[in-house]
Amino acid sequence: GTVERPSVEMVDAIFSDPGLYAEVGGAAFQWAGRAIVGDIHRKYPDKTLIMSEQQCFNGANSWADFMDAWGLLKDNIDKGVSVYDYWNMSLFDGEVSTWRWQQNSLISVDYETGRLHYNYEFYEMKHISRFVRPGAVCLGTAGSHDQTLAFRNPDGSLVLLVAETSGKAENVTIKAGSRSVRVHIPASSLSTIVL
């Protein structure tokens, strides 16, 4: 059979019904829905949007995949996604998924020994969720460094996620209200700054 790609019209079919609109809190999309989440957020800004599946890549669990995963996460949050989930918590190392292809996972499990290997994307999600707390609000950013996400936690702390994707280390000055800090961002990295 054919796979139907998500479309704005599919979501409109639900949200255009006044009775359903009041009862449905939002919409969830698998990774292919990334193309339309921005349009959905603009049309229905009061609805919660969930990215329910990080793109699964090809099982390499590489640093390049980690950096691509950052780009996907940032793109989705920039487009209005409030909840971002990873698809594969754990897979046996080197084995294919039930859909018959190798995919990335947060944790790889050695089938013979049961040993766990925490992959780069595990640390990406752990790192972000450690500092960006439930109820945090995503803030806009401005400046010359465009690989940045900023959040205000419920306790008032500010969390900045700053990626360096060009392969060249940078010194960046971050200003938030009256606060200012100069930080070194290593090449090909994701840094978290808490103000």
Side-chain angles (χ1 to χ4, degrees), residues 59-158:
N61 292 302
S62 67
W63 187 258
D65 292 346
F66 169 89
M67 295 307 292
D68 287 345
W70 156 260
L72 293 169
L73 177 124
K74 181 181 180 331
D75 184 55
N76 277 281
I77 291 175
D78 283 346
K79 289 179 177 176
V81 167
S82 303
V83 177
Y84 192 85
D85 288 334
Y86 202 92
W87 185 251
N88 293 312
M89 175 73 75
S90 64
L91 291 172
F92 286 117
D93 193 28
E95 295 207 6
V96 297
S97 71
T98 55
W99 294 354
R100 307 284 182 250
W101 84 82
Q102 285 188 315
Q103 298 178 1
N104 285 12
S105 60
L106 296 178
I107 302 167
S108 294
V109 182
D110 183 302
Y111 188 79
E112 297 295 321
T113 67
R115 185 180 153 276
L116 305 179
H117 177 77
Y118 296 90
N119 297 316
Y120 295 122
E121 291 167 76
F122 170 86
Y123 290 104
E124 180 175 48
M125 299 301 278
K126 177 183 177 186
H127 194 65
I128 293 167
S129 63
R130 176 176 178 198
F131 295 102
V132 179
R133 306 306 308 151
V137 175
C138 188
L139 306 171
T141 62
S144 61
H145 192 85
D146 65 350
Q147 290 297 310
T148 304
L149 288 171
F151 299 89
R152 180 181 297 112
N153 281 323
D155 68 1
S157 62
L158 298 177

